[in-house]
Amino acid sequence: MKIVYTEEHRKRSARTELYGGQLVPPFECPERIDFILAEAEKRGFGAIVPPRAHGMAPVLAVHDAGYAAFLENAWANWSALGHQGEAIVTVWPARTMRPDRIPAHFEAQLGYYCLASETSISDGTWEAALASKDVALTSADLVIGGARTAFGLCRPPGHHAATDQYGGYCFFNNAAIAAQHARDKGIERVAILDVDFHHGNGTQEIFYDRDDVLFISLHGDPDQAFPHFLGFADETGSGAGEGFNLNLPMPPGTGFDVWRAALGKAMERIARFDPGLVIVSLGVDTFEKDPISFFKLTSNDFSTMGADIAALGLPTLFLMEGGYAVEEVGINTINVLEGFCV
Ligand code: SP5
Ligand code: ZN
C-alpha cells in the first residue's frame, strides 16, 4: 500500500490547546505522525510517496471562499493585533445574537469561523492544512486511478471542519475534499466511513442534503462526547440526502464486540449503496488508552477492523484523522492497514 506523506505537516505545531481551563500542549501533535511512520518502517509496510500540489479548486468545491481567505490570513491578522499567545476564540455569534453577520473585527471573525475553542491557530497552520489536503487528493488519485487502496497520512486531520468552520483540530475537511474530487473525476457514488472516536460533524454537514455521497459515522454518543451538538442517530439526511447519512453513536465503555456490530451495520449500508470508492476517515482514538476518548478497543482489534473493511471488496482510501495515545497510534494505525491488506 502506498502511503502519501510530507514533512510539511510539522508546520502545524501549535503550542496551546484549551483543555480543562488550562492551555496545554496540543493532543494533536507532530509526534503522532512520527510514531506512524516509525511503525510502518519497522514492519516494512508501505511505500512512502510525496503529495502533488492540487491548488485551491478542490478545496473551494466543498469549502466557502470567505472561510478559506480567513484561514489564509488568520495568522497575519492575529499577529497584527499584537497578542502574545496563539489565536483562540473568545466570542461567538451565540444563539441570542446575530449568527449570520460576518463581523468586521478579526477577533470576532475567529468566532464566526470556529466551532470549538480547543483549537488554536498558530503560525504555519495554513501551510500545513494545504499540505494535508494535497496528501488526501494525491492518495485519492491513486485509488481513482485503479489502486485497490492507499493511505493519505493527513495532518492536521479534517472531519470536524465544516463548509465554513474549523475546530476539533481540523481546518480543511480532507475526506470531503477527496470525496468531491472523486465525484468530479467521474466516480458516481462515494461512501465515507468515519471510524474516528468523534462524530465527523463537518463531513456530515457538507454532504447532508446529497444522495451521491453516503456518510456513516461510528462514534462516542454526542451527549457524552465532542462535538456534542451533532452526531445523533436521528440525523438521517435532508431533501435528496434523506437516508444517506447514518450515525451510530455508542456509550462510554463500548468494547470491540459492540463496536464491530455497528461496523457490520455500516458495511451492509455501504454494500447496498454500491459506491465506486470508499473513503475511511481513520481515527484510532477508539483505543482503550486514548487520553480524550472512552471506547475500549485493543491494538489487536484494529487488525480485525482492517480485515472487516477489506471484506467489502471495494476500492478503499484511508485518510488519517485522530488518535492521541501517542506511543500506540503507530501500532494501531498500521494494524488497520495491514489487517486490510492480509
Ligand atoms: C480529529 C479529532 O479527533 N478531533 C478531536 C477533537 C476533540 N477536542 C475536544 C476534546 C475535549 C475532550 N474532553 C475530554 C475529557 C476527557 N476526560
Ligand atoms: Zn477523534
Side-chain angles (χ1 to χ4, degrees):
M1 180 183 306
K2 284 188 175 150
I3 300 177
V4 182
Y5 169 75
T6 171
E7 290 282 317
E8 285 285 297
H9 77 87
R10 291 189 200 287
K11 292 184 175 166
R12 171 67 185 164
S13 61
R15 286 180 287 116
T16 54
E17 168 172 347
L18 183 57
Y19 180 80
Q22 292 184 298
L23 292 177
V24 304
F27 289 95
E28 201 293 285
C29 58
E31 293 74 24
R32 299 172 57 239
I33 302 303
D34 295 333
F35 280 103
I36 295 170
L37 286 174
E39 186 66 22
E41 188 174 357
K42 184 175 151 194
R43 298 197 209 173
F45 182 87
I48 310 286
V49 300
R52 190 173 69 73
H54 282 66
M56 283 305 286
V59 174
L60 298 176
V62 303
H63 286 290
D64 173 70
Y67 170 65
F70 159 83
L71 281 181
E72 181 170 13
N73 300 310
W75 184 251
N77 284 333
W78 176 254
S79 300
L81 295 174
H83 296 301
Q84 295 301 303
E86 295 174 333
I88 298 176
V89 183
T90 55
V91 64
W92 262 285
R95 285 178 296 103
T96 52
M97 301 190 194
R98 291 174 61 170
D100 298 320
R101 192 179 180 284
I102 299 178
H105 197 285
F106 181 74
E107 187 125 11
Q109 287 173 12
L110 278 172
Y112 182 82
Y113 287 118
C114 180
L115 56 79
S117 66
E118 91 279 68
T119 303
S120 306
I121 293 181
S122 53
D123 193 10
T125 295
W126 165 255
E127 289 75 11
L130 284 181
S132 193
K133 62 87 182 164
D134 281 327
V135 165
L137 286 162
T138 303
S139 55
D141 284 337
L142 294 170
V143 183
I144 294 165
R148 157 88 163 112
T149 187
F151 179 40
L153 190 33
C154 296
R155 183 179 174 273
H159 74 151
H160 295 302
T163 305
D164 63 356
Q165 288 192 310
Y166 72 95
Y169 319 149
C170 303
F171 301 92
F172 289 141
N173 193 312
N174 302 310
I177 291 168
Q180 184 60 47
H181 181 65
R183 287 286 299 104
D184 293 338
K185 295 278 172 191
I187 297 185
E188 285 183 22
R189 287 178 307 283
V190 178
I192 301 175
L193 172 62
D194 191 326
V195 299
D196 185 282
F197 169 78
H198 303 93
H199 175 246
N201 61 283
T203 319
Q204 168 170 316
E205 181 261 345
I206 288 167
F207 296 116
Y208 203 60
D209 59 1
R210 288 171 51 170
D211 62 3
D212 58 333
V213 179
L214 171 67
F215 179 67
I216 305 184
S217 183
L218 283 65
H219 50 269
D221 180 352
D223 267 335
Q224 317 281 343
F226 184 90
H228 293 293
F229 293 95
L230 207 67
F232 299 92
D234 64 353
E235 297 156 12
T236 55
S238 68
E242 179 62 55
F244 295 87
N245 192 89
L246 176 59
N247 284 328
L248 299 165
M250 286 166 277
T254 293
F256 191 60
D257 49 348
V258 168
W259 194 94
R260 193 183 188 193
L263 180 65
K265 271 194 195 173
M267 288 177 34
E268 263 174 42
R269 180 69 188 93
I270 292 171
R272 189 152 56 82
F273 183 61
D274 188 28
L277 172 67
V278 177
I279 298 176
V280 180
S281 265
L282 178 58
V284 293
D285 39 9
T286 48
F287 184 49
E288 56 184 349
K289 291 185 208 155
D290 193 273
I292 61 168
S293 307
F294 57 57
F295 286 172
K296 298 290 168 221
L297 272 61
T298 66
S299 290
N300 282 337
D301 295 335
F302 288 95
S303 305
T304 308
M305 181 191 303
D308 280 2
I309 294 169
L312 276 171
L314 294 167
T316 302
L317 170 64
F318 292 90
L319 298 178
M320 196 68 209
E321 299 282 1
Y324 309 101
V326 175
E327 301 232 12
E328 289 95 341
V329 160
I331 296 166
N332 296 342
T333 302
I334 303 301
N335 277 0
V336 174
L337 303 177
E338 232 175 29
F340 181 92
C341 291
V342 168

